[in-house]
Amino acid sequence: MQNVKMVVTGPFSAGKTQFIHTISEIDVVSTERRLSHPADPDKSQTTVAMDFGRLTIDDDLILYIFGTPGQRRFDFMWRILSQGTLGLVVLLDSVRPDTFREAREILNTFQTYADVPYVVVANKQDLPDAWSPEDLRVALRIPRAIKVLPCVATDRESVKEVLLQLLYTILESMDGDS
Amino acid sequence: MALRGNLRDFSATQMLNLISVARKSGTLDIEGVDTQARLLFNQGKLLYAAVGGQDYRLTEVLQRAGKLTEAQSRAIEAQASSSGDRELAWLLLRAGYASRSDIIRGVRAHILRNVFRVFEWSAGTFVFEPNRLSFGDRITVPVDLATVIVAGSRRLREADSFREELPNLDVHLRFTRGAGSRLRKMRMGLDEWRVVSLAGPRNTVREISNQADLSEDQVRRIVYGLMQADLLHVALPEEVPEATSSDRRRKEGARVRGQRPSRNVITRLIDRIRQL
């Protein structure tokens, strides 16, 4: 049996737990804790170590999807979780410009240190006043070579499309390496 | 769809950069701490700027710019049947009080004066309404935002923003595509030209700072402006010619390694996810 993994990361409140929950065939194993001082009135809990979902591909292959904590003090977790990953999904909250600064820092770190294919995802595109993927690309200075995809993490088709686009990106990077 | 935000999280400079690069048209309303501003854009160019709800007529604009005396202004106003700028412009030209270029320069200076005030605001909220353009009969002059951003950055007070944008001075800069032709058309100060002439794969920002005899904060401020104007960006590691071996070892050590699966694994994943 072969196991492979993908990692979903992004700032606080970007929708990482929901993204994994939407696609996972098991209940997401989550390490959520009640927020002591909620930064977002609609969010009472946050992930403190990781989220964990699973998708059986066939008899010999299982995909595990890990979600990193969004809060800065758990930064060390993304490095641990990202080792040996197929690729990364960097999820952004399209309606929270107050999280863009942190998103920039995460993206800068990836551009400098991550030798892993990744896509950037503009989540919550169903909400009024969501910043479009193209606006987010400019605002966060995301290079043209990186895909910025629209997404609604509660919608299975939307999440499927993101994972497919990440897999196409991985294939392209393999073509580039060969 | 409107773009809403807070200047603390997304500064006016960053918003102007977004409008310029995405060539947006519409109205940007900013609610500062004490006053508000309204800026109008067409295809990424600034057309009009009003601060504090002051909507000056052309005669007032030219008088403030020193192109018109108070008596001339009164005489023209007395002849005008409406407060429309186009009629005032026509009357000014006919009276020989101002030339076409006086009018354009005066309006341009007025727009710049107003937009530069906005750079000094570090708190407040903004809403950008795409495709809403309403400036009545005011005369508008298209102003290139790159020039505005570079010049406006000199007025920024928030040194924290510069440090955030450029935390590490030991990085190289790279010009964005098309920066050369845009730079030739821009008006920049001497220090900005010195930074531009030293930027590129030869020097890190720290080396630019030393060679141009600028302090770290000065060079950060200038580079911040040039980056916000989409003329420069920090070079990615692969864009820098040759790192020192110790640099390379440090970066390699910190690098997160991905898994290199077979092509067959990826295609099986794709097939399965498509079926879901």
Side-chain angles (χ1 to χ4, degrees), chain A residues 7 9-12 16 47-49 68-82 102-103 105-106 109-110, chain B residues 256:
Chain A
V7 171
T9 188
F12 173 73
K16 300 179 288 295
T47 302
V48 292
T68 66
Q71 290 188 302
R72 296 285 300 274
R73 65 177 184 271
F74 301 113
D75 269 2
F76 65 94
M77 280 303 294
W78 85 258
R79 275 180 188 280
I80 296 168
L81 291 173
S82 301
E102 194 184 338
E105 286 168 15
I106 292 172
T109 307
F110 282 133
Chain B
V256 170

Side-chain angles (χ1 to χ4, degrees), chain A residues 30-129:
Chain A
S30 189
T31 54
E32 294 209 313
R33 291 288 176 271
R34 189 174 294 281
L35 276 166
S36 45
H37 298 94
D40 176 348
D42 298 327
K43 191 172 164 74
S44 59
Q45 295 201 313
T46 193
T47 302
V48 292
M50 63 178 182
D51 291 319
F52 171 66
R54 189 184 75 193
L55 198 60
T56 305
I57 304 303
D58 53 37
D59 292 344
D60 297 319
L61 184 60
I62 292 178
L63 170 66
Y64 292 105
I65 306 174
F66 290 88
T68 66
Q71 290 188 302
R72 296 285 300 274
R73 65 177 184 271
F74 301 113
D75 269 2
F76 65 94
M77 280 303 294
W78 85 258
R79 275 180 188 280
I80 296 168
L81 291 173
S82 301
Q83 290 292 352
T85 186
L86 288 179
L88 290 149
V89 173
V90 183
L91 214 58
L92 309 177
D93 185 338
S94 309
V95 291
R96 291 274 305 270
D98 54 319
T99 63
F100 292 175
R101 186 176 296 182
E102 194 184 338
R104 274 284 308 277
E105 286 168 15
I106 292 172
L107 289 165
N108 284 343
T109 307
F110 282 133
Q111 282 160 12
T112 312
Y113 292 116
D115 193 15
V116 179
Y118 68 96
V119 292
V120 179
V121 176
N123 190 25
K124 308 188 186 178
Q125 286 292 307
D126 56 329
L127 297 183
D129 295 336

Side-chain angles (χ1 to χ4, degrees), chain B residues 208-220:
Chain B
I208 294 173
S209 158
N210 293 336
Q211 291 179 43
D213 199 20
L214 295 166
S215 71
E216 288 188 1
D217 275 354
Q218 279 174 311
V219 82
R220 270 200 176 95

Side-chain angles (χ1 to χ4, degrees), chain A residues 2-5 23 25 55-58 60-61 63 78-79 82-86 97-98 100-101 104-105 111-116 127-132 135 138-139 141 143 156-157 160 163-164 167-168 170-171 173-175 177, chain B residues 1-10 14-15 17-19 21-22 24 126 164-165 224 227-230 232-233 236-238 250-251 254-276:
Chain A
Q2 186 177 0
N3 299 327
V4 288
K5 71 171 175 181
I23 202 74
E25 65 194 10
L55 198 60
T56 305
I57 304 303
D58 53 37
D60 297 319
L61 184 60
L63 170 66
W78 85 258
R79 275 180 188 280
S82 301
Q83 290 292 352
T85 186
L86 288 179
D98 54 319
F100 292 175
R101 186 176 296 182
R104 274 284 308 277
E105 286 168 15
Q111 282 160 12
T112 312
Y113 292 116
D115 193 15
V116 179
L127 297 183
D129 295 336
W131 288 46
S132 72
D135 286 344
V138 177
R141 299 181 189 283
R156 194 173 169 87
E157 287 304 312
K160 270 172 63 181
L163 294 181
L164 286 170
L167 290 163
Y168 299 148
I170 295 167
L171 276 182
S173 73
M174 290 168 135
D175 293 342
D177 289 346
Chain B
M1 225 176 302
L3 295 176
R4 294 171 196 279
N6 192 308
L7 293 179
R8 254 192 299 268
D9 307 315
F10 201 70
Q14 289 171 311
M15 196 61 206
N17 171 47
L18 172 62
I19 291 166
V21 173
K24 286 182 179 293
F126 65 80
E164 216 165 76
E165 189 78 19
Y224 176 87
M227 284 170 68
Q228 293 299 336
D230 206 35
L232 281 178
H233 66 84
L236 298 173
E238 60 268 28
R250 185 169 47 78
K251 282 180 184 166
R255 212 161 251 283
V256 170
R257 295 272 172 219
Q259 188 177 14
R260 299 287 183 203
S262 69
R263 208 176 173 85
N264 170 271
V265 165
I266 304 299
T267 49
R268 281 156 68 197
L269 286 163
I270 290 173
D271 290 343
R272 171 73 177 109
I273 290 171
R274 275 189 187 145
Q275 286 165 11
L276 288 174

Side-chain angles (χ1 to χ4, degrees), chain B residues 143-172:
Chain B
V143 179
D144 179 46
L145 280 175
T147 309
V148 170
I149 291 168
V150 171
S153 299
R154 289 179 212 135
R155 295 156 195 260
L156 288 170
R157 292 172 187 166
E158 304 296 311
D160 288 354
S161 316
F162 314 139
R163 284 195 201 104
E164 216 165 76
E165 189 78 19
L166 200 63
N168 177 11
L169 292 184
D170 298 312
V171 291
H172 291 80

